[in-house]
Amino acid sequence: MHSLVSDNDLRVMSVNIDDSRLTVELMDGRAISVPLAWYPRLANATPEQRQHWELAGAGYGIHWPELDEDLSTEGLLLGARAPASAGDSRA
């Protein structure tokens, strides 16, 4: 029996960020697109800072060294937003 799980490759192939969305393309052909507002460090960064990302966690994560921001493909697939900061009024 063939398992679909083995066909899923959640490693990052590419990252694209514009003023409103973060889009991550995965090795298995899927694309995850989320509102940039979910990640305030990225939303408040300059375009140059947003473009300076590195693969992390054997390709299953993305790291922005200048912003101290790390995202995983698993978290993106689950719809995980950045944790609320102490000054954030979100519940």
Side-chain angles (χ1 to χ4, degrees):
M1 182 174 191
H2 189 265
S3 171
L4 290 177
V5 174
S6 65
D7 292 335
N8 293 337
D9 189 344
L10 303 181
R11 292 176 297 149
V12 175
M13 184 170 63
S14 68
V15 176
N16 297 297
I17 306 174
D18 62 26
D19 288 335
S20 63
R21 301 203 68 76
L22 165 67
T23 303
V24 178
E25 293 187 33
L26 304 179
M27 292 292 211
D28 67 7
R30 287 183 285 174
I32 307 163
S33 186
V34 295
L36 194 58
W38 285 12
Y39 307 103
R41 287 182 185 163
L42 291 175
N44 294 321
T46 66
E48 293 79 19
Q49 289 172 316
R50 292 179 192 157
Q51 296 307 316
H52 183 212
W53 59 271
E54 306 169 345
L55 289 177
Y60 294 93
I62 310 158
H63 174 66
W64 285 266
E66 295 174 35
L67 305 173
D68 192 29
E69 182 72 274
D70 295 281
L71 301 177
S72 70
T73 55
E74 181 179 13
L76 289 167
L77 284 167
L78 292 173
R81 299 177 185 216
S85 67
D88 195 340
S89 62
R90 285 187 297 167

